[in-house]
Amino acid sequence: MTVVLDRTAPAARSTGPRPFWTTRRRDQLTGYLFITPALLGAAAFVFLPLVLVVWYSLHEWNVLADTFNFVGADNYRKLAEDRNFPSVLRATAFFSIGLVVLNLALALLLAVLLNQKLRGTTFFRVLFFSPVVVSLLAWTIVWGFLLQDNGGINGLLDAAGIDGPNWLRSGGTAMASVVVVQVFKNVGLNMVLFLAALQGVPPELYEAARTDGAGPWTIFRRITLPLISPTILLTSIITVVGSLQVFAQISVLTQGGPGTSTTVLVYYLYQQAFQFHAFGYGATLSVVLFLIVLALTVLQWQMRKRWVFHER
């Protein structure tokens, strides 16, 4: 007798109740428990402060007078009428553009040079990266002495027969001096990131390009830049955000002077909130700074589809 199995018949199903703690739900609970500390930290130290800053910007808060009054949009109207605010925005733009362009260009140049298989490259990698680990305040104080009217920089220029300017007290050189000091401080970080990206480019692509007769500039433009474009995006976002948050260098070197030529937005915020005790207006400037950083970050992220190789 031959038994024929019907393969189209549905499999027998369990009629008992399905357990609540399935493997999937246990895995989900484990994942939520792992990310809970990070979520609580972000809520307490990121999202809650953002909400409070917006709330404070709608108030006039004077600590000395012990007053906290709701004023609505008065602080924003005050911002629109502030005669110093346009010059503050110009100084912030000059500083950010100068820092980003010089930092990224110099970091990429150093990374390309130090990516060569030559003796001594390890020493120069350490040399250029060492300022990154130096205390920011100590670095700025030393450069403050060097850039004084009778400091080390002018001493070297005087030895060469050149009368150097008062770098930090002249409107034409103060901003450039602050930018250069900041570039020298942090260029090593971007250099290391670019160096890691360059070492990840497959060498056979270079060999194939040389076989086809491509020159160094063509190889760099057609192979190197596209393949390291994700790192360029990362470093540009980091550098732009960092340039908009500079404070210690301005405070130590120029105190925003001469005039308001080096008064960037963060330092102006500090002046309004902690020197003039106008915390409501300082919170308003904080909201503006947040919106600027957010807009630039979103803009760079959207532009990745045009110039980042892996996003095309």
Side-chain angles (χ1 to χ4, degrees), residues 81-95:
E81 299 171 357
D82 191 345
R83 296 181 179 181
N84 292 325
F85 190 63
S87 63
V88 169
L89 289 182
R90 283 195 299 269
T92 304
F94 289 153
F95 180 86

PDB file of all heavy atoms in Angstrom, residues 81-95:
ATOM      1  N   GLU A  81      17.486  95.528  15.386  1.00  0.00           N
ATOM      2  CA  GLU A  81      17.883  96.935  15.464  1.00  0.00           C
ATOM      3  C   GLU A  81      19.301  97.127  15.993  1.00  0.00           C
ATOM      4  O   GLU A  81      19.760  98.275  16.084  1.00  0.00           O
ATOM      5  CB  GLU A  81      16.898  97.673  16.373  1.00  0.00           C
ATOM      6  CG  GLU A  81      15.460  97.649  15.855  1.00  0.00           C
ATOM      7  CD  GLU A  81      14.471  98.188  16.873  1.00  0.00           C
ATOM      8  OE1 GLU A  81      14.929  98.516  18.002  1.00  0.00           O
ATOM      9  OE2 GLU A  81      13.268  98.270  16.562  1.00  0.00           O
ATOM     10  N   ASP A  82      19.976  96.040  16.332  1.00  0.00           N
ATOM     11  CA  ASP A  82      21.324  96.124  16.906  1.00  0.00           C
ATOM     12  C   ASP A  82      22.310  96.567  15.827  1.00  0.00           C
ATOM     13  O   ASP A  82      22.510  95.862  14.821  1.00  0.00           O
ATOM     14  CB  ASP A  82      21.725  94.762  17.469  1.00  0.00           C
ATOM     15  CG  ASP A  82      22.987  94.842  18.315  1.00  0.00           C
ATOM     16  OD1 ASP A  82      23.704  95.863  18.238  1.00  0.00           O
ATOM     17  OD2 ASP A  82      23.262  93.880  19.056  1.00  0.00           O
ATOM     18  N   ARG A  83      22.950  97.712  16.019  1.00  0.00           N
ATOM     19  CA  ARG A  83      23.887  98.224  15.016  1.00  0.00           C
ATOM     20  C   ARG A  83      25.182  97.434  14.967  1.00  0.00           C
ATOM     21  O   ARG A  83      25.885  97.465  13.951  1.00  0.00           O
ATOM     22  CB  ARG A  83      24.192  99.694  15.307  1.00  0.00           C
ATOM     23  CG  ARG A  83      22.977 100.611  15.184  1.00  0.00           C
ATOM     24  CD  ARG A  83      23.358 102.058  15.453  1.00  0.00           C
ATOM     25  NE  ARG A  83      22.203 102.947  15.316  1.00  0.00           N
ATOM     26  CZ  ARG A  83      22.262 104.265  15.486  1.00  0.00           C
ATOM     27  NH1 ARG A  83      23.423 104.843  15.817  1.00  0.00           N
ATOM     28  NH2 ARG A  83      21.174 105.001  15.339  1.00  0.00           N
ATOM     29  N   ASN A  84      25.509  96.756  16.042  1.00  0.00           N
ATOM     30  CA  ASN A  84      26.745  95.978  16.063  1.00  0.00           C
ATOM     31  C   ASN A  84      26.586  94.596  15.425  1.00  0.00           C
ATOM     32  O   ASN A  84      27.582  93.965  15.063  1.00  0.00           O
ATOM     33  CB  ASN A  84      27.240  95.792  17.504  1.00  0.00           C
ATOM     34  CG  ASN A  84      27.702  97.089  18.122  1.00  0.00           C
ATOM     35  OD1 ASN A  84      28.257  97.952  17.444  1.00  0.00           O
ATOM     36  ND2 ASN A  84      27.461  97.246  19.418  1.00  0.00           N
ATOM     37  N   PHE A  85      25.351  94.126  15.299  1.00  0.00           N
ATOM     38  CA  PHE A  85      25.135  92.756  14.838  1.00  0.00           C
ATOM     39  C   PHE A  85      25.629  92.519  13.412  1.00  0.00           C
ATOM     40  O   PHE A  85      26.235  91.468  13.145  1.00  0.00           O
ATOM     41  CB  PHE A  85      23.654  92.401  14.962  1.00  0.00           C
ATOM     42  CG  PHE A  85      23.373  90.947  14.733  1.00  0.00           C
ATOM     43  CD1 PHE A  85      23.887  89.974  15.577  1.00  0.00           C
ATOM     44  CD2 PHE A  85      22.594  90.539  13.658  1.00  0.00           C
ATOM     45  CE1 PHE A  85      23.639  88.628  15.361  1.00  0.00           C
ATOM     46  CE2 PHE A  85      22.327  89.199  13.445  1.00  0.00           C
ATOM     47  CZ  PHE A  85      22.855  88.246  14.293  1.00  0.00           C
ATOM     48  N   PRO A  86      25.426  93.437  12.436  1.00  0.00           N
ATOM     49  CA  PRO A  86      25.981  93.185  11.093  1.00  0.00           C
ATOM     50  C   PRO A  86      27.497  93.039  11.087  1.00  0.00           C
ATOM     51  O   PRO A  86      28.046  92.176  10.392  1.00  0.00           O
ATOM     52  CB  PRO A  86      25.530  94.418  10.293  1.00  0.00           C
ATOM     53  CG  PRO A  86      24.304  94.892  10.992  1.00  0.00           C
ATOM     54  CD  PRO A  86      24.562  94.635  12.446  1.00  0.00           C
ATOM     55  N   SER A  87      28.205  93.867  11.865  1.00  0.00           N
ATOM     56  CA  SER A  87      29.667  93.738  11.909  1.00  0.00           C
ATOM     57  C   SER A  87      30.070  92.445  12.579  1.00  0.00           C
ATOM     58  O   SER A  87      31.096  91.842  12.214  1.00  0.00           O
ATOM     59  CB  SER A  87      30.276  94.940  12.643  1.00  0.00           C
ATOM     60  OG  SER A  87      29.847  94.981  13.993  1.00  0.00           O
ATOM     61  N   VAL A  88      29.295  91.985  13.550  1.00  0.00           N
ATOM     62  CA  VAL A  88      29.567  90.701  14.197  1.00  0.00           C
ATOM     63  C   VAL A  88      29.400  89.559  13.204  1.00  0.00           C
ATOM     64  O   VAL A  88      30.221  88.633  13.143  1.00  0.00           O
ATOM     65  CB  VAL A  88      28.643  90.509  15.414  1.00  0.00           C
ATOM     66  CG1 VAL A  88      28.730  89.078  15.942  1.00  0.00           C
ATOM     67  CG2 VAL A  88      29.012  91.493  16.519  1.00  0.00           C
ATOM     68  N   LEU A  89      28.346  89.616  12.393  1.00  0.00           N
ATOM     69  CA  LEU A  89      28.145  88.587  11.371  1.00  0.00           C
ATOM     70  C   LEU A  89      29.261  88.613  10.336  1.00  0.00           C
ATOM     71  O   LEU A  89      29.718  87.552   9.878  1.00  0.00           O
ATOM     72  CB  LEU A  89      26.792  88.774  10.694  1.00  0.00           C
ATOM     73  CG  LEU A  89      25.550  88.438  11.517  1.00  0.00           C
ATOM     74  CD1 LEU A  89      24.295  88.640  10.686  1.00  0.00           C
ATOM     75  CD2 LEU A  89      25.614  87.006  12.028  1.00  0.00           C
ATOM     76  N   ARG A  90      29.722  89.804   9.942  1.00  0.00           N
ATOM     77  CA  ARG A  90      30.833  89.890   8.979  1.00  0.00           C
ATOM     78  C   ARG A  90      32.104  89.290   9.563  1.00  0.00           C
ATOM     79  O   ARG A  90      32.810  88.532   8.885  1.00  0.00           O
ATOM     80  CB  ARG A  90      31.060  91.347   8.575  1.00  0.00           C
ATOM     81  CG  ARG A  90      30.070  91.892   7.591  1.00  0.00           C
ATOM     82  CD  ARG A  90      30.561  93.199   6.975  1.00  0.00           C
ATOM     83  NE  ARG A  90      30.758  94.224   7.987  1.00  0.00           N
ATOM     84  CZ  ARG A  90      29.825  95.083   8.362  1.00  0.00           C
ATOM     85  NH1 ARG A  90      28.617  95.020   7.797  1.00  0.00           N
ATOM     86  NH2 ARG A  90      30.074  96.003   9.271  1.00  0.00           N
ATOM     87  N   ALA A  91      32.400  89.628  10.819  1.00  0.00           N
ATOM     88  CA  ALA A  91      33.593  89.069  11.455  1.00  0.00           C
ATOM     89  C   ALA A  91      33.491  87.550  11.560  1.00  0.00           C
ATOM     90  O   ALA A  91      34.480  86.833  11.328  1.00  0.00           O
ATOM     91  CB  ALA A  91      33.788  89.688  12.845  1.00  0.00           C
ATOM     92  N   THR A  92      32.310  87.047  11.886  1.00  0.00           N
ATOM     93  CA  THR A  92      32.109  85.591  11.972  1.00  0.00           C
ATOM     94  C   THR A  92      32.300  84.938  10.612  1.00  0.00           C
ATOM     95  O   THR A  92      32.929  83.881  10.500  1.00  0.00           O
ATOM     96  CB  THR A  92      30.704  85.293  12.512  1.00  0.00           C
ATOM     97  OG1 THR A  92      30.516  85.946  13.766  1.00  0.00           O
ATOM     98  CG2 THR A  92      30.501  83.799  12.692  1.00  0.00           C
ATOM     99  N   ALA A  93      31.767  85.569   9.557  1.00  0.00           N
ATOM    100  CA  ALA A  93      31.911  85.018   8.209  1.00  0.00           C
ATOM    101  C   ALA A  93      33.373  85.032   7.766  1.00  0.00           C
ATOM    102  O   ALA A  93      33.870  84.042   7.215  1.00  0.00           O
ATOM    103  CB  ALA A  93      31.049  85.803   7.232  1.00  0.00           C
ATOM    104  N   PHE A  94      34.083  86.144   7.995  1.00  0.00           N
ATOM    105  CA  PHE A  94      35.491  86.218   7.617  1.00  0.00           C
ATOM    106  C   PHE A  94      36.305  85.160   8.341  1.00  0.00           C
ATOM    107  O   PHE A  94      37.149  84.475   7.739  1.00  0.00           O
ATOM    108  CB  PHE A  94      36.045  87.608   7.927  1.00  0.00           C
ATOM    109  CG  PHE A  94      35.530  88.685   7.021  1.00  0.00           C
ATOM    110  CD1 PHE A  94      35.462  90.010   7.450  1.00  0.00           C
ATOM    111  CD2 PHE A  94      35.087  88.384   5.748  1.00  0.00           C
ATOM    112  CE1 PHE A  94      34.971  91.003   6.628  1.00  0.00           C
ATOM    113  CE2 PHE A  94      34.599  89.372   4.903  1.00  0.00           C
ATOM    114  CZ  PHE A  94      34.532  90.677   5.344  1.00  0.00           C
ATOM    115  N   PHE A  95      36.061  85.021   9.633  1.00  0.00           N
ATOM    116  CA  PHE A  95      36.812  84.037  10.399  1.00  0.00           C
ATOM    117  C   PHE A  95      36.520  82.622   9.915  1.00  0.00           C
ATOM    118  O   PHE A  95      37.435  81.825   9.701  1.00  0.00           O
ATOM    119  CB  PHE A  95      36.484  84.167  11.885  1.00  0.00           C
ATOM    120  CG  PHE A  95      37.209  83.181  12.749  1.00  0.00           C
ATOM    121  CD1 PHE A  95      38.484  83.458  13.216  1.00  0.00           C
ATOM    122  CD2 PHE A  95      36.625  81.975  13.086  1.00  0.00           C
ATOM    123  CE1 PHE A  95      39.164  82.547  13.997  1.00  0.00           C
ATOM    124  CE2 PHE A  95      37.298  81.056  13.874  1.00  0.00           C
ATOM    125  CZ  PHE A  95      38.570  81.345  14.330  1.00  0.00           C
TER     126      PHE A  95
END
